[in-house]
Amino acid sequence: MIILAATPIGNLGDASPRLVRALEEASVIAAEDTRTTQRLLQALGVANRPQLIALHDHNEKQRAGDLVARARDEDVLVLSDAGMPTVSDPGYGVVAAAAAADVQVTVIPGPSAPVTALALSGLPTDRFTFEGFLPRKPGDRRAALRALASEPRTMVFFEAPSRIADTLTAMADAFGADRPAAVCRELTKLHEEVRRGALSDLAAWAADGVRGEIVVVVGGGAARVVSPDDALAEVQRLVATGIRLKDAAGEVSAQTGHSARDLYQAALAARG
């Protein structure tokens, strides 16, 4: 079978006895980074030296079929560098291929950065959405955030230290300066830190630089009641900033519930 195994996200003490046993018994491991897996085996005192196969974003599509075929005859352990495979990490392609081929898949549960950050955030946990990494380009990032502006569930994001200040500023612009949020960094590690507050305050704090691996948790938005005229005005405002009419209509539609087609047609009519 295919075995997805969660690995520690920082603290080696979070490695479960079941994970250690699987590492000791594995004959083949598909790993996001084989060097990271070698260090994990050594740190956990695992003497077993299984065959290590690199499985990452650039080769998963090509290797998924071979791994699934191999899993018909022996267990194939799938690891990411930290946390649960498939969650913003390689593994999804292998699981999809295994499901299509009717090959069994199981999971060794364990650490997960999104769920850990959500629990620490102090924000509602009854309903949430994981958004992963936002687009790198400012325009694409702005569009993605505007589409989430009215999302009622708590939102969880990954972000790189080099982009966190810009991202928090963009979030404050799209969601509102007072939207509650939390920045969680270095989870389960020695310098673990959780900063909670309004997006504008967190953006100001991050301006001086933030280090480590980061998860951002943002409170959901309150329901908005927007008239058709106000929605059209928002489309026109976005177009005036350089956004294509079609994209602007789509963004406002996602925020207000008004039909993107109707907004597009209304904006064209207003131009005429």
Side-chain angles (χ1 to χ4, degrees):
M1 67 177 72
I2 298 291
I3 303 174
L4 305 176
T7 55
I9 59 176
N11 191 320
L12 281 175
D14 293 333
S16 69
R18 188 178 169 198
L19 170 64
V20 175
R21 185 168 62 251
L23 292 171
E24 291 172 340
E25 297 174 353
S27 59
V28 57
I29 296 177
E32 182 178 6
D33 187 324
T34 57
R35 295 165 298 181
T36 299
T37 297
Q38 287 173 335
R39 289 193 292 268
L40 178 66
L41 292 170
Q42 183 177 14
L44 294 176
V46 175
N48 182 30
R49 289 298 177 263
Q51 179 186 3
L52 299 179
I53 299 174
L55 179 72
H56 45 71
D57 290 339
H58 302 296
N59 71 1
E60 183 172 7
K61 184 178 294 186
Q62 290 74 33
R63 290 200 166 165
D66 291 339
L67 291 172
V68 169
R70 190 161 182 174
R72 292 186 183 278
D73 301 316
E74 61 183 326
D75 291 343
V76 175
L77 195 61
V78 178
L79 308 180
S80 64
D81 286 347
M84 177 60 69
T86 78
V87 181
S88 206
D89 277 326
Y92 162 73
V94 175
V95 175
D102 199 27
V103 170
Q104 185 177 354
V105 181
T106 191
V107 171
I108 298 177
S112 171
V115 175
T116 302
L118 179 70
L120 288 171
S121 68
L123 295 167
T125 59
D126 53 339
R127 299 177 66 226
F128 66 94
T129 173
F130 176 61
E131 299 296 332
F133 284 96
L134 288 164
R136 291 176 179 238
K137 294 182 179 179
D140 293 340
R141 179 178 57 202
R142 180 179 57 196
L145 290 172
R146 287 190 179 278
L148 292 169
S150 58
E151 169 59 59
R153 296 169 292 184
T154 300
M155 296 169 283
V156 183
F157 302 85
F158 284 163
E159 192 49 282
S162 60
R163 297 193 299 269
I164 184 61
D166 289 340
T167 291
L168 289 170
T169 299
M171 285 179 170
D173 180 58
F175 299 156
D178 295 330
R179 181 79 71 91
V183 177
C184 309
R185 71 177 196 90
E186 294 295 271
L187 291 172
T188 78
K189 299 175 184 176
L190 179 63
H191 299 292
E192 176 179 283
E193 180 181 19
V194 180
R195 288 271 181 166
R196 305 178 184 88
L199 280 170
S200 58
D201 294 335
L202 292 173
W205 162 75
D208 293 332
V210 180
R211 294 182 179 181
E213 297 182 347
I214 297 169
V215 185
V216 181
V217 186
V218 183
R224 292 178 61 194
V225 178
V226 179
S227 70
D229 288 343
D230 287 343
L232 173 59
E234 177 64 9
V235 170
Q236 293 169 326
R237 186 188 71 80
L238 291 175
V239 170
T241 66
I243 298 176
R244 292 193 312 162
L245 175 55
K246 182 179 179 181
D247 294 336
E251 288 187 30
V252 176
S253 173
Q255 296 171 25
T256 65
H258 290 292
S259 163
R261 182 178 182 279
D262 291 347
L263 289 170
Y264 183 85
Q265 295 295 336
L268 287 179
R271 285 180 178 178

